[in-house]
Each structure stands twice: as structure tokens, then as C-alpha cells.
Amino acid sequence: PLAFTWDRLPIVGQVAPGLSFLGGWCGHGLALGAASGAALARSLVTREPLAGLPWHRGRAPSRSGPLATALVAGMTKALDLADRVTA
């Protein structure tokens, strides 16, 4: 089974000081997982805030309401088209 975030971006966040999480790779696990893991490891070792990752957020966005549904559908179609062009 696979699970995807609504916006197809991974989630990197912090639960509490010294306790962080990574997930939601959405089919892009190797590259994004390595980059996120390196950034998180650096942050934990230096004890500096995790920065520089656009997907650093506490949780994935929720999908609620017709406008959100339409925006997510449009973004998903754009990502699918981009995947076909680069494949």
C-alpha cells in the first residue's frame, strides 16, 4: 500500500525538542528522503533549527471545502503532467 499527502510533498517536522519525524515521500523517496535525512541529522547534531526544506511543516495540509479540493486537483494534474514530461 502507498499513501500520499494531498499536496504530494513530504512532511518534515518536530514533535518536541529533540524528537523529529520524516514521512510522506509520495513516490519520490530516495532523493527527498536522503536530502531530508541529511538536513535533519545536521539539525539534530548542531541543535540549530531545521531550515532550508520547503516541506518542513508540522503536518500535511488538510483537504476541506470545494476550493481546497479544486486546488489540490489542479496541482495534482500539473504534477502528473510534469512527471510525464520528465520521464
Side-chain angles (χ1 to χ4, degrees):
L2 290 173
F4 286 77
T5 56
W6 286 114
D7 60 1
R8 291 192 179 182
L9 289 175
I11 304 168
V12 177
Q14 188 176 50
V15 177
L19 180 59
S20 298
F21 64 91
L22 307 161
W25 304 116
C26 304
H28 306 287
L30 186 60
L32 293 180
S36 297
L40 180 59
R42 190 171 35 259
S43 172
L44 292 172
V45 169
T46 62
R47 299 195 187 277
E48 293 180 7
L50 183 62
L53 297 176
W55 45 89
H56 180 247
R57 57 219 177 126
R59 63 185 178 90
S62 63
R63 184 178 119 175
S64 60
L67 180 59
T69 300
L71 288 172
V72 169
M75 192 164 95
T76 300
K77 286 184 185 200
L79 289 169
D80 285 342
L81 287 172
D83 283 345
R84 283 190 214 126
V85 168
T86 59

